[in-house]
Amino acid sequence: MSANISVPLGPPASLPVPNPTKSFWLHSEPTANPLAKEGSRGPITSEADICIIGSGITGVSTAFHLSEIIRSGDGAPGGGPLKVLVLEARDFCINGGHLTPVSFFGFMTNEQKYGTHEAISNAALEEHTFNGIRRLCRDNKWGKDIDFIESGRTIMFLTEDDHQNAWIDFNRAVAAGLPGLTGENRRVEWLRKEEVKKRYGANYPAVRTPGSNLWPLKLVTKLYQKAATNAPKDMLVRLHTSTPVTAMAPISTSSSGSGPRWRLRTPRGDISCNYVVHATNGYASYLLPHMAGPKGIVPTRGQVVALRANAPAAEITSSGWTSNSGFEYWFPRPPKNLKDPPLIILGGGREVTGDFEFHQTDDSTVNPAVGRAIRGFLPPLFPGKYKEGREPEGEWTGILGYTKIGDPFVGPVIDPASSRLNKYEGQFIAAGYHGHGMPRAYACAEAVAQMIIADMRQESWTRPAWLPQHYLTTSRPR
């Protein structure tokens, strides 16, 4: 979805509601979430070096990258053991999405705003995420366990404006030298509407780019298990679910490494720590009220259905899709038999509401108008392949984090209104993915993990070439 839609003022986010709708990813298999209630009973861990708030892809990736940095370097700062605690308000990992790099889309806008190098970095970060997760799947043989399928993505253009804007982005990216667009290593395929009709059954032009489908919860579960059970000997990782952080308070103004700086309040007791990572995405402004409103992170409710196709999987194909200026996105679940109609995970419909579901943190309910829009979206585009009026096999909502520029906040927490640069010393954030978190969160978490270890070792941190400068909180206007 375009980052140019005006976002109205709104209050800070609430805590996550305790009774979210039942997501396919968490509830369609009895063993889908083995860590659902991990650490939810018994004594709480009262002290840690690093507390990570949020057990989704960002929070768990941060723990994973911390363990990888320590494993590949000189061990834990100070000799360890480094104690890392992941805190989750509800069950473990309420995550969705599909892993599809942005490729050349949005290149012109990013180039005009930030320059050619930043536009290239924007695509490079998503390639870094995609390649990193693909490598983990290959090296650890996770592919089958998490349903990782490199099926590509088809972007279908319902209007001539969308089609022409994509060509403009493509040509600007080619001129800038973005890899994979031309020559022998080309990974982009433009399709005329006749080709789309023959291959997929829709009568619109499209372009194919690299991408994959997977089961997000199962990926995050693997990442946590690898971080916790295979952690270096000088690092301990623990998880407490059903443990919302309700408040934060400074313990002292001591410098880095001299003891705990922050006290986190939870219904189960207080936790003291030296570093805090906010991996709370749309809920970030609950603990960081200065991040409420259009200049911060706006909680936004997304809605998804699991809908059975009306044609065999062989006809539907395994491609992921997006269309209607990015408002709708869908992909098929891998079928047991190519002759069977696959289950389609389809999200979108917020454009019919008028307020785009901004400033919504209640994912215990669905919006009927959005539901009607989603149900009616595919049948007219793919005649005969989807049945008019068919009810979904599941429907749920989740809270996204939208930002004014369409990109996340990554780095130290900074309150622009405060004259104290160290007001949130030791706190970091990676959040606000604008509905595009799966291809970005893993890499943004890696950057935050690097920053924390560098700070603990009293070393300078160097921005990786794949991380856009404008993502950094230190680069945002104050």
Side-chain angles (χ1 to χ4, degrees):
M1 191 193 83
S2 172
N4 298 321
I5 292 174
S6 177
V7 180
L9 291 172
S14 68
L15 278 172
V17 299
N19 55 333
T21 47
K22 292 186 179 297
S23 160
F24 168 87
W25 305 116
L26 276 71
H27 297 282
S28 60
E29 291 183 3
T31 59
N33 196 356
L35 298 173
K37 305 294 183 183
E38 181 79 10
S40 61
R41 296 183 179 180
I44 193 170
T45 304
S46 60
E47 293 184 358
D49 295 295
I50 304 169
C51 281
I52 301 169
I53 306 174
S55 70
I57 181 68
T58 302
V60 171
S61 292
T62 303
F64 169 77
H65 287 302
L66 287 167
S67 70
E68 292 296 292
I69 293 169
I70 291 172
R71 188 192 315 278
S72 62
D74 299 323
L82 184 70
K83 298 177 182 178
V84 177
L85 182 61
V86 181
L87 299 167
E88 172 55 54
R90 304 190 290 200
D91 287 356
F92 178 74
C93 184
I94 299 182
N95 245 109
H98 50 158
L99 184 61
T100 306
V102 69
S103 186
F104 59 84
F105 283 89
F107 194 92
M108 180 184 70
T109 298
N110 283 317
E111 188 176 42
Q112 290 174 342
K113 281 184 176 180
Y114 311 113
T116 301
H117 180 76
E118 281 288 281
I120 291 174
S121 291
N122 198 68
L125 177 135
E126 301 195 16
E127 287 292 330
H128 180 77
T129 292
F130 180 76
N131 292 331
I133 292 176
R134 178 169 58 181
R135 185 166 54 250
L136 280 169
C137 289
R138 180 194 64 213
D139 294 348
N140 295 282
K141 297 181 171 56
W142 291 351
K144 186 175 181 181
D145 292 340
I146 69 171
D147 293 345
F148 183 84
I149 300 173
E150 290 191 60
S151 53
R153 177 180 67 163
T154 306
I155 301 92
M156 188 164 63
F157 307 111
L158 303 188
T159 69
E160 185 58 27
D161 280 350
D162 281 352
H163 194 194
Q164 289 304 312
N165 288 336
W167 269 110
I168 292 170
D169 279 335
F170 176 80
N171 288 325
R172 293 287 285 267
V174 168
L178 189 69
L181 301 184
T182 60
E184 293 181 359
N185 297 321
R186 180 169 58 111
R187 295 179 297 158
V188 170
E189 180 187 11
W190 291 90
L191 302 174
R192 292 177 289 108
K193 65 179 183 179
E194 294 82 6
E195 295 172 300
V196 175
K197 178 74 172 177
K198 181 178 180 181
R199 191 181 300 186
Y200 301 113
N203 199 29
Y204 295 91
V207 63
R208 293 265 301 154
T209 64
S212 66
N213 302 326
L214 47 72
W215 194 305
L217 167 62
K218 292 183 179 181
L219 167 65
V220 177
T221 300
K222 292 288 188 183
L223 287 173
Y224 178 80
Q225 290 170 338
K226 189 168 179 62
T229 61
N230 296 322
K233 62 181 180 180
D234 47 0
M235 179 176 173
L236 299 173
V237 181
R238 294 199 64 186
L239 167 66
H240 283 308
T241 61
S242 302
T243 309
V245 177
T246 57
M248 306 183 299
I251 294 175
S252 70
T253 56
S254 59
S255 60
S256 174
S258 60
R261 288 178 285 200
W262 295 97
R263 178 175 291 110
L264 307 185
R265 179 147 296 170
T266 83
R268 302 174 61 196
D270 290 355
I271 303 165
S272 61
C273 59
N274 205 14
Y275 292 87
V276 178
V277 178
H278 295 266
T280 47
N281 207 29
Y283 298 102
S285 61
Y286 176 78
L287 292 172
L288 302 171
H290 66 272
M291 299 203 74
K295 292 184 179 180
I297 298 175
V298 178
T300 304
R301 186 167 59 193
Q303 193 158 321
V304 184
V305 298
L307 187 70
R308 187 69 58 179
N310 201 45
E315 290 185 29
I316 297 297
T317 80
S318 60
S319 177
W321 292 77
T322 185
S323 192
N324 192 24
S325 301
F327 278 109
E328 276 67 51
Y329 48 92
W330 67 99
F331 62 93
R333 293 284 304 132
K336 293 181 179 179
N337 190 320
L338 289 176
K339 295 181 180 179
D340 295 333
L343 191 66
I344 307 298
I345 307 298
L346 166 64
R350 294 185 301 108
E351 69 275 17
V352 305
T353 64
D355 64 2
F356 297 96
E357 297 282 78
F358 291 141
H359 299 295
Q360 294 284 349
T361 57
D362 183 2
D363 57 0
S364 68
T365 186
V366 299
N367 185 319
V370 173
R372 287 191 294 272
I374 301 174
R375 285 163 171 79
F377 184 72
L378 292 177
L381 296 181
F382 299 89
K385 296 185 184 296
Y386 297 93
K387 188 176 181 180
E388 291 274 6
R390 174 168 286 176
E391 281 298 299
E393 297 178 20
E395 185 170 15
W396 63 96
T397 51
I399 306 305
L400 313 169
Y402 273 64
T403 67
K404 184 177 181 180
I405 66 172
D407 293 317
F409 289 82
V410 180
V413 173
I414 298 173
D415 182 354
S418 175
S419 59
R420 291 172 48 211
L421 292 176
N422 65 344
K423 180 180 179 180
Y424 289 100
E425 187 176 15
Q427 297 201 27
F428 293 81
I429 188 169
Y433 300 109
H434 212 74
H436 194 58
M438 281 299 295
R440 300 201 273 190
Y442 177 85
C444 293
E446 181 178 355
V448 165
Q450 292 173 357
M451 293 175 192
I452 291 172
I453 295 298
D455 189 70
M456 296 181 82
R457 291 175 175 163
Q458 298 184 355
E459 299 172 349
S460 60
W461 171 78
T462 301
R463 178 176 61 89
W466 45 259
L467 179 64
Q469 179 79 34
H470 71 273
Y471 281 24
L472 297 178
T473 55
T474 51
S475 297
R476 302 275 178 134
R478 298 196 75 230

